[in-house]
Amino acid sequence: MLTSFRWLQELCPIEADVHEVAHRITQAGLEVEAIEEKGANLSGVVIAEVRTKAPHPKRDKLMLVTVFDGEAEHEVVCGAPNVPEPGGRVLFARPGAVLPNGLQIGSRKVGGIESSGMICSEAELEIGADVDGIFIVDTENAALPGDDGAHALDLHDFILDIGLTPNRPDCLGHVGIAREIGLLFGKPCEPRKAAGPRRTFAAEASFQVDQPTTDLVPLWDNESELIDAPGLPSISVEIVNGDRCPRYGAALVSGVEVAPSPFWLQYRLHNLGLRALSNVVDATNLILLEWGHPIHGFGLSRLRGSKVVVRLATDGETMATLDGVERTFTPDDLLICDGEGPVAVAGVMGGANSEIQDDTKDILIECAYFDPRSIRRTSRRLGVHTDSSHRFERGVDPQAVPQVLASAASLIAELGGGAAATTAIDRVAIAYAPKSISFRPARAAQLLGTPIEADESERILEAVGCRIVEKSETSLTVEAPSWRPDVSREVDLIEEVARVRGYDQIPTAVPRVHPSESGTPEPLRFISALRTAAVTSGLYEAVNYGFLSVNDLQKARVSTDVVALANPLSEERAVMRTSLMPGLTGAATRAQRHGATDVRLFELARTFHPSDDVLPREDTTLAIVLAGDRPGWIGGDRVFDFYDGKGVVEAILDRVIGQEPGIAQGEVPAFMHPKRSAVVSLASRPIGFVGEIHPDVGDALELHGRVVYAEIDVATLHALFEELGPPQAHELPRFPAVTRDIAMLVREEFTAGEIAAALSEASGGLAESVHLFDLYRGDQIPEGHRSLAFRVTYRDPESTLTDKRVDKVHGKVAKLARDRFEATIR
């Protein structure tokens, strides 16, 4: 949030510079991310008086303007359409001045005439947004030619960019931040009650209320010029849905002239990131920035039926909002209506049918407290996030309604030259009940790790705004301030005590570690080993959200039997994932969009599935994705394929289990390629799958090229690990190995895995390993067949093998291949 330090000083005068204040509030939790000084870089820009102006002799759209800067006259060529008549004052950059945008001012010829210096616009000096004309000094300003421009216009300020956390809506206005500064510097700073405008009128005839003593509240104590009540229609306010709008206030201002705002107001709004529009609209924005409490102004003549009704929408009800968009509402949307229909979306945006226009004379000012959850739901459903909704959905101060109305009515009346009603409607549907909280100093000391005196705690909590309602030797009972919706529990009070005392007052101590007798649980050690194995296999870990949308699951062709969130962050995060595949491939897609040529990612995380228990079932899964080009030293890069995925899976399982998995065709998920995928098994038990993602799914997920994906069920793998035990080191062989190759022609129905297992079995334990090293389909191979070549490594751990013995065993291996698999030995 952008904050004016000068405004803060007006609200809470303290003797501290901006940097000290920034440091103190940052230490207390309001992080100041940046400080920008305003009005300090206008050296050489002075007030100048226009002496003469005449058309340029050679350029139709230019003028020759003579200005006096207090020292000398300068002739300037100017193209602005609003050069004032002689006697008017402007901002003049003398030759040699450097503007905030870095432009150095000098003398140069324009159309053959020397132009010395420059008459400046707001935008060129970065004191406003107007680029259509030069800045004209107001006639009420007493500055003389030659006076420093920044000093004459009172431009100096510091703008603090404060990063607020969502739990501090009280600091979304300058009053809240000033209150915080007063708290930290030990100077109570309660907002001053607004003074009334110069002219007021009695409002009893202007409001229709059932109980005048409770529904009407006086706005000011000071005396103003009381004029005859204007002939305004009598306004009534009705709250139909009090749970959505517990409090609604309305004030009247009459006889307003809509016009541009004075420069001081435009400049303040500009520094705080808002564009000046008109005096009335700018006043509502200034009140929002001051109090952090949004208000809205209605053109009174455009309120049909002279009434305001706060109610829920009917299904399909429509209204055009101020941005020109026709909105359609649901029965969950809260609306502000007049006698015939909606005129505003409560807490979000006003309607085009009741906006303040140039001819508006009478204004109804709305200041209300809306249920934060109601505003949040409507804002998200409509896709509209405004300064108002940002504050209402976090929670404003329900007790500040009369004060905010008083400030708003007084400001609008003064800026517009009108008169304000002395009283306002303050309808309370549900009375505010302060939260009562118990605070124990002993508990605070326990949580903070440092002694907390009861008297100090009481002093701090009262300074925060809490009211002490009961006190005993061991505890305090306090009522939380209405402007702090985040303070609702004892730990919140403890946090307030800690941050006001200063987090640096909490001693630093190394905690004593009590090691567990059993150490880290074995399942966690197994998962850690699995993660390490994936990293050492050349993969990079990805961490994705556990929440996604049903549409994400549908595009990925994974289970849509989901666990839905009761209060999702957004529609894109509405359900819990049933598979790691959408999230991991989404990370691959983003990497490819950013130019990654090879993607090697894994994720070791949980998926969530509905169950009959209170909590959903959680399954831990290892997922792997490979996409793009596999870097190669010889022959250049190649696209990742099935065998790359197979190799990664084998490498991981070898490091964790110490055994080679079986890779064979079988049933795989619908998102996998039916011909380029296989089931991964270990000890004859399936533990996952590996292969290429189906091309249609890849297109739906916006993946480029062929993408390899694999999943391993960690629970099954861990059960096998416990059954088989960790990898065992073996004695180094004392005798040499002998290798033999065997090539055969077999039918497609026999897998390479089962043939290799049978060959190993036929060796009588003499085969140390059997590896497939060649597969061929093509010419001279009968249809429905393929050629497989295996390399068999023989070794006897007790003696050196002879050729005769190896030949005999190898013959048995070949015979088994012929008999069992009807193989033709080649």
Side-chain angles (χ1 to χ4, degrees), residues 696-718:
D696 293 344
V697 177
D699 291 342
L701 299 176
E702 301 181 14
L703 292 164
H704 301 305
R706 293 161 62 172
V707 179
V708 178
Y709 182 78
E711 273 190 15
I712 300 296
D713 182 0
V714 175
T716 304
L717 184 63
H718 181 249

Side-chain angles (χ1 to χ4, degrees), residues 375-592:
I375 304 304
R376 186 181 305 117
R377 288 197 300 269
T378 296
S379 175
R380 289 183 179 178
R381 192 189 65 77
L382 295 178
V384 178
H385 184 82
T386 61
D387 288 335
S388 292
S389 67
H390 184 81
R391 287 161 172 80
F392 276 125
E393 67 186 29
R394 284 161 173 75
V396 299
D397 183 2
Q399 297 295 84
V401 168
Q403 288 178 285
V404 177
L405 273 178
S407 295
S410 178
L411 182 62
I412 291 175
E414 287 299 300
L415 292 175
T422 55
T423 56
I425 287 183
D426 185 18
R427 271 288 171 89
V428 179
I430 299 177
Y432 169 75
K435 295 181 285 289
S436 182
I437 311 169
S438 177
F439 174 83
R440 296 165 294 169
R443 177 58 177 162
Q446 184 183 36
L447 279 181
L448 300 179
T450 186
I452 302 293
E453 297 295 332
D455 291 343
E456 182 183 20
S457 301
E458 182 178 350
R459 176 182 59 79
I460 290 175
L461 292 178
E462 286 184 322
V464 167
C466 297
R467 188 174 75 89
I468 309 297
V469 295
E470 187 177 342
K471 182 165 60 173
S472 69
E473 293 183 359
T474 59
S475 68
L476 299 172
T477 301
V478 306
E479 289 181 351
S482 59
W483 59 85
R484 291 295 301 274
D486 59 309
V487 177
S488 60
R489 303 168 299 169
E490 183 182 32
V491 291
D492 299 326
L493 297 178
I494 294 173
E495 182 182 10
E496 291 302 298
V497 171
R499 71 183 192 85
V500 174
R501 290 180 82 242
Y503 290 122
D504 55 345
Q505 298 298 314
I506 300 175
T508 301
V510 178
R512 179 179 298 175
V513 177
H514 300 279
S516 169
E517 294 182 0
S518 58
T520 303
E522 198 280 327
L524 294 182
R525 293 202 305 271
F526 178 77
I527 289 177
S528 178
L530 197 59
R531 178 176 284 107
T532 301
V535 172
T536 55
S537 299
L539 304 178
Y540 297 89
E541 185 171 13
V543 179
N544 294 299
Y545 280 112
F547 312 133
L548 33 67
S549 68
V550 174
N551 184 51
D552 293 333
L553 299 175
Q554 291 172 340
K555 288 194 296 184
R557 296 187 187 177
V558 298
S559 173
T560 54
D561 186 14
V562 298
V563 177
L565 300 182
N567 187 25
L569 295 172
S570 65
E571 289 299 322
E572 290 73 26
R573 300 279 182 262
V575 300
M576 303 186 80
R577 63 188 174 197
T578 58
S579 170
L580 300 185
M581 188 266 197
L584 195 57
T585 54
T589 300
R590 287 189 292 275
Q592 289 180 329

Side-chain angles (χ1 to χ4, degrees), residues 743-786:
M744 63 188 73
L745 191 67
V746 295
R747 296 202 304 272
E748 291 277 4
E749 64 188 76
F750 299 116
T751 66
E754 64 179 316
I755 295 174
L759 299 181
S760 179
E761 180 184 351
S763 71
L766 208 58
E768 188 176 70
S769 64
V770 180
H771 288 293
L772 176 71
F773 69 88
D774 185 58
L775 183 152
Y776 177 72
R777 297 183 181 91
D779 296 341
Q780 301 180 353
I781 301 297
E783 186 177 355
H785 290 69
R786 57 182 172 167

